[in-house]
Amino acid sequence: MGRLVGLSLLGIALGLVGERLLALRNRLKASSEVESVDLPNCRLVKGIEAGAEDIDILPNGLAFLSVGLKYPGLHSFAPDKPGGILMMDLKDENPRALELRISRGFNLASFNPHGISTFIDSDDTVYLFVVNHPEFKNTVEIFKFQEEDNSLLHLKTVRHELLPSVNDIIAVGPAHFYATNDHYFSDPFLKYLETYLNLHWTNVVYYSPNEVKVVAEGFDSPNGINISPDKKYIYVADILAHEIHVLEKQHNMNLTQVKVLKLDTLVDNLSVDPSSGDILVGCHPNGQKLFIYDPNNPPSSQVLRIQNILAEKPTVTIVYANNGSVLQGSSVASVYDRKLLIGTLYHRALYCEL
C-alpha cells in the first residue's frame, strides 16, 4: 500500500512538472517561426556587436543606445567587455554611433546598462536614466547629458528594496520615474523558479526622492515601459504573457488599468512615435531561442507598430521581421523623422530610412 501511495505521489509530481514545462514552452512560444518582412534602405550600425538593448531619442534627433548588456541566462558576444551608452545624431545624412564619455568617479568596469529613458527639464537640461546591473545587482543611474562635449555627468545612484529586479524605466521628472520589476526575487535561482511556476508577483514601481511605492502588480514578467505623448497613460509590456497593458496615471502617481492588448509574440521594449502616438515594439517571435543560443538556429527579430491602442480594435502591423540571418533578438525599435533604429539584446543594431 505504501509503495502504491508513493508511486501515486511521484506520478502527480511528474505530471505537475510536465504541465509547468509545457506551459513555459507556450509562454516562450518555443515552436514559433517568423516570416521575413524586409525594409529597404537598411544597414547594420558599425560599432555595435554585442547588443543595443534599449534606445531613446530626443526631440532634436539625438538617439541614446544602451549597449553591452550581460544578463543571467542570456548569450553575450562580449562577456568581458563593460557596457556603455552610445549616441547617434539622426539628423545627420549618415549617422554613426559614438560612445559617450562618463564622468570620473563612476565605476565603468562594472557598467551593465539595461533599460534607459530621457527627461528634459523646464530649463532644457537633459537627464538620462539608466537601469544598471553592476555585478548583476540592481541600480538606477541618473546622468546629466552635456551636449557640448558629448559626455554624461553622473548625478545619482538609486537603490531601493522595491527595485529588486529592474528591467526598464520611464522618467517623469528630474529624479522621478516608473520602473518595471521583471521578477519579484533578485536571487538567480529564485528568479528561475518564479518564472517556472508563473507566480505573477511582479510589479511596476513609482520612485521619487520623497516617495517610493508599488503602483501596479500581478504581471507575469513586465518588461518595457513608456508613456503616451499627452502623459496621461503608461504602457507596460508583459513579455511572457504576450500583452501590453494600458494604465492611466493618477494625480498621486498611482496607475489604474484601462485595457490589455493581447499579441501573438513576446513583447520587449516600447517606444512611442511622438508625431503620431503610435507604439513601436521590439519583439521576440520565439523566446526559447533567446535563452538556448544556437548560432545555426539563431533567435529571430520582429518589430510591431500599434496604432490607436485605446481603440476597441487597435491596428497592429508587422514593420520588420527577420529569421536571425541579419538581426538576432530584437528588443527595441525607435523612430525619428522616418528613420528607424532597431536594437537587440546581444547582437547588432539596424538603421533604416523609411
Side-chain angles (χ1 to χ4, degrees):
M1 183 67 179
R3 291 181 178 178
L4 182 60
V5 171
L7 285 173
S8 298
L9 291 174
L10 178 61
I12 292 171
L14 290 174
L16 289 173
V17 169
E19 187 273 334
R20 288 291 85 193
L21 283 174
L22 181 60
L24 182 58
R25 279 183 54 83
N26 289 335
R27 288 156 66 208
L28 290 171
K29 301 193 71 66
S31 300
S32 295
E33 300 295 338
V34 66
E35 292 186 13
S36 292
V37 176
D38 295 322
L39 287 171
N41 306 316
C42 292
R43 62 173 174 83
L44 293 169
V45 179
K46 187 177 180 180
I48 298 179
E49 309 286 345
E53 199 278 339
D54 203 5
I55 299 170
D56 201 10
I57 305 175
L58 295 176
N60 64 2
L62 293 180
F64 297 94
L65 299 90
S66 163
V67 301
L69 174 67
K70 287 86 178 168
Y71 200 78
L74 285 181
H75 181 72
S76 174
F77 286 105
D80 300 321
K81 183 180 179 182
I85 301 296
L86 305 188
M87 186 182 73
M88 296 178 67
D89 188 346
L90 299 183
K91 298 191 305 298
D92 288 351
E93 185 175 338
N94 186 28
R96 57 195 182 98
L98 302 172
E99 184 164 6
L100 295 180
R101 181 174 56 84
I102 297 178
S103 58
R104 291 181 180 180
F106 183 76
N107 189 344
L108 294 173
S110 65
F111 193 32
N112 190 11
H114 198 166
I116 61 175
S117 179
T118 56
F119 180 80
I120 304 175
D121 212 347
S122 56
D123 62 359
D124 293 329
T125 299
V126 176
Y127 297 94
L128 178 67
F129 293 64
V130 181
V131 176
N132 186 21
H133 303 295
E135 300 174 350
F136 301 117
K137 296 181 174 64
N138 291 268
T139 66
V140 174
E141 312 293 348
I142 303 178
F143 300 92
K144 177 184 175 182
F145 172 55
Q146 301 182 130
E147 187 173 358
E148 62 274 9
D149 61 354
N150 290 335
S151 68
L152 295 172
L153 175 65
H154 185 245
L155 301 177
K156 183 178 181 179
T157 295
V158 175
R159 299 181 181 88
H160 197 276
E161 61 183 5
L162 291 180
L163 300 170
S165 186
V166 189
N167 186 297
D168 197 17
I169 189 171
I170 180 67
V172 292
H176 311 67
F177 58 83
Y178 289 99
T180 56
N181 283 306
D182 55 17
H183 290 82
Y184 178 82
F185 297 106
S186 56
D187 178 81
F189 174 75
L190 292 178
K191 281 185 175 185
Y192 173 78
L193 192 62
E194 175 188 347
T195 301
Y196 177 74
L197 295 175
N198 196 12
L199 294 179
H200 283 253
W201 288 357
T202 53
N203 54 41
V204 175
V205 169
Y206 170 71
Y207 176 92
S208 75
N210 300 318
E211 182 180 33
V212 186
K213 58 183 178 179
V214 174
V215 291
E217 54 190 340
F219 301 94
D220 185 339
S221 184
N223 203 293
I225 186 169
N226 217 309
I227 193 168
S228 60
D230 61 11
K231 312 301 181 186
K232 292 182 179 179
Y233 300 98
I234 297 291
Y235 307 132
V236 176
D238 194 338
I239 188 168
L240 291 178
H242 321 141
E243 297 172 345
I244 295 177
H245 294 248
V246 181
L247 305 115
E248 187 172 12
K249 185 161 66 74
Q250 306 300 322
H251 293 297
N252 62 1
M253 307 307 284
N254 287 341
L255 300 177
T256 303
Q257 184 155 287
V258 174
K259 68 177 295 185
V260 178
L261 177 64
K262 294 188 177 295
L263 297 163
D264 193 32
T265 187
L266 280 72
V267 286
D268 202 323
N269 286 318
L270 309 174
S271 297
V272 177
D273 184 340
S275 63
S276 64
D278 296 351
I279 301 172
L280 289 168
V281 193
C283 302
H284 309 288
N286 186 322
Q288 180 167 291
K289 292 183 180 181
L290 284 175
F291 296 99
I292 305 175
Y293 184 77
D294 179 357
N296 297 313
N297 188 21
S300 49
S301 292
Q302 185 183 57
V303 174
L304 301 182
R305 179 184 288 272
I306 300 169
Q307 297 170 283
N308 302 315
I309 193 167
L310 291 173
E312 183 178 350
K313 292 185 178 180
T315 302
V316 180
T317 308
I318 299 175
V319 175
Y320 175 82
N322 180 262
N323 63 5
S325 59
V326 175
L327 206 63
Q328 303 175 13
S330 55
S331 56
V332 63
S334 294
V335 68
Y336 172 82
D337 192 25
R338 299 192 58 79
K339 297 175 181 179
L340 177 69
L341 276 173
I342 305 173
T344 64
L345 276 171
Y346 47 69
H347 190 231
R348 306 293 300 277
L350 197 67
Y351 168 78
C352 302
E353 295 181 354
L354 302 177

